[in-house]
Amino acid sequence: MHWTLDDHALARLVDDLVDQGWFVGERFISSKLCQALHDELHTLAAHEALSDAGIGRGGQHQLRHDIRGDAIHWLDLKSQAQRHYLALMDDLQQQINRALYLGLFEFEAHFAHYPPGAFYKTHFDSFQGRANRIVSTVLYLNPDWPAEGGGEMAIYSSDDEQRELTRVPPEAGTFVCFLSDQVPHAVLPTRHPRASIAGWFRRNTSMEGLIDPAR
């Protein structure tokens, strides 16, 4: 099966990135593809193939469960569902580059599993002036997420990190896209197992003499 992205949703995504720095689209990705990815993540978890996620990169990487409580598995093209999703992200990369001239050249992503009680405190995905991760993405994989389930993404104002702009329930098919170094965000404590794919469009891994490792 060949999946494509909706042209109207793509146009709105680009407009929202320009206007406010972030986009939220419900039913952006096919429910069937989300289910296949959800099943794969469940299998990985059952086979203890997930690793505790940390904060910081390269030599500064450390585990801090008081800040972040998910477990991850990097996408590696080993399943058809992954290949379909990464093909869609390749299409999205081309669309963003054509519209915004951002020079995105690669995409990296991982499954993320949050057990009940887990969260991720407010953070940016990149630091201004040292940002190789340019555009961040999150795809949610949870079918029939309950209203009381928690686990929302909270997006805050870039001018005031205490001012919440919106909350995004982690319902399957919902896709969030935002500028990595400009949008503070958090994962609120979840009451149910929460599944997603976090990803980043990157520029060259060497900018102004600063090396930013891929992972």
Side-chain angles (χ1 to χ4, degrees):
M1 181 179 293
H2 179 67
W3 281 287
T4 60
L5 298 172
D6 179 77
D7 288 341
H8 295 292
L10 282 172
R12 187 165 69 84
L13 182 152
V14 169
D15 287 346
D16 283 358
L17 285 182
V18 172
D19 293 341
Q20 61 187 17
W22 52 274
F23 161 84
V24 177
E26 297 179 357
R27 297 181 293 279
F28 189 83
I29 300 293
S30 159
S31 60
K32 289 185 178 180
L33 179 54
C34 288
Q35 186 63 57
L37 292 164
H38 183 274
D39 292 346
E40 181 175 354
L41 176 53
H42 181 78
T43 299
L44 290 167
H47 287 83
E48 299 184 348
L50 304 178
S51 302
D52 287 345
I55 61 170
R57 314 189 81 191
Q60 296 181 326
H61 184 268
Q62 56 181 318
L63 296 179
R64 287 288 304 275
H65 294 297
D66 58 321
I67 296 175
R68 177 179 186 179
D70 57 323
I72 67 172
H73 182 90
W74 290 93
L75 270 60
D76 52 18
L77 291 168
K78 290 185 178 179
S79 71
Q80 187 177 54
Q82 286 191 37
R83 292 190 290 272
H84 282 310
Y85 181 64
L86 292 173
L88 291 176
M89 293 301 98
D90 185 63
D91 290 345
L92 178 57
Q93 176 180 314
Q94 295 179 45
Q95 293 279 353
I96 293 175
N97 277 340
R98 279 197 291 267
L100 303 180
Y101 305 101
L102 290 181
L104 309 177
F105 89 109
E106 72 175 2
F107 181 72
E108 60 178 358
H110 61 62
F111 288 110
H113 176 265
Y114 285 77
F119 56 87
Y120 194 160
K121 289 187 175 180
T122 306
H123 63 284
F124 290 89
D125 282 359
S126 277
F127 295 104
Q128 291 187 353
R130 297 189 61 179
N132 287 353
R133 287 178 169 177
I134 305 302
V135 176
S136 300
T137 66
V138 181
L139 171 65
Y140 296 112
L141 306 176
N142 311 285
D144 303 317
W145 188 257
E148 74 284 357
E152 301 96 340
M153 174 189 282
I155 295 177
Y156 300 95
S157 169
S158 59
D159 299 322
D160 179 3
E161 293 182 29
Q162 302 300 314
R163 183 163 67 91
E164 184 178 309
L165 301 179
T166 191
R167 290 189 183 190
V168 184
E171 178 66 35
T174 295
F175 185 79
V176 184
C177 186
F178 55 92
L179 300 178
S180 302
D181 65 348
Q182 296 183 29
V183 178
H185 57 286
V187 176
L188 303 181
T190 184
R191 299 184 184 91
H192 298 275
R194 176 190 186 276
S196 62
I197 295 177
W200 300 270
F201 291 108
R202 300 167 52 87
R203 287 183 183 150
N204 196 312
T205 54
S206 177
M207 296 175 62
E208 301 177 355
L210 298 172
I211 304 299
D212 184 17
R215 295 176 189 173

